[in-house]
Amino acid sequence: MFFAVLSGALYSIYSRKFSKQFSPEEITFFMMMTGAIFFTLMSIMKGEFEIQFNIQTISSGIYLGILSSAGAFFLLNYMINKASPIVTTLFSNLTTVISVIAGIAFRNEMVGLQQILGMLLIIFSLLVTTIRRQKVSPSG
């Protein structure tokens, strides 16, 4: 858990820094290539690397690699480039809400009171912050 929080913090700091020098496309490409190389090497070192040529594995890899990872991180890198860190952090919390809704819709997962309260708190904090920011900065 500590390393997950640490890597998230480092990602936020360096993404903001690199967004001044590189485009969101370049940052996302470097992230995806670094991850692919790192995890392929780790898989080879552990003796777990195996090439699969079946449609389910290929379609899952394309979905996870292109849509889920590259698409989501491109949008996050784009937002880091265009918005303030506070807004970026608030909107990145929506991934939890979307994940729970996707679990309900596609996997028929059960949702308890804690998950519902958590999602409501995320949405409420996002709405309050958005409304406050609109009142502070007059549209023009």
Side-chain angles (χ1 to χ4, degrees), residues 65-135:
I66 295 174
L67 295 177
S68 297
S69 296
F73 275 108
F74 168 73
L75 292 173
L76 184 57
N77 289 327
Y78 182 81
M79 189 167 185
I80 287 171
N81 191 359
K82 302 293 182 194
S84 73
I86 294 169
V87 173
T88 302
T89 302
L90 282 171
F91 273 94
S92 69
N93 288 328
L94 277 178
T95 57
T96 304
V97 176
I98 293 167
S99 297
V100 172
I101 292 170
I104 294 167
F106 298 113
R107 300 195 41 124
N108 297 320
E109 293 180 0
M110 300 299 294
V111 176
L113 184 60
Q114 285 181 311
Q115 289 88 359
I116 292 170
L117 289 175
M119 291 189 313
L120 290 174
L121 281 172
I122 290 170
I123 293 168
F124 179 74
S125 66
L126 188 60
L127 289 173
V128 167
T129 305
T130 303
I131 291 168
R132 285 179 131 185
R133 289 177 68 83
Q134 287 177 349
K135 286 182 181 177

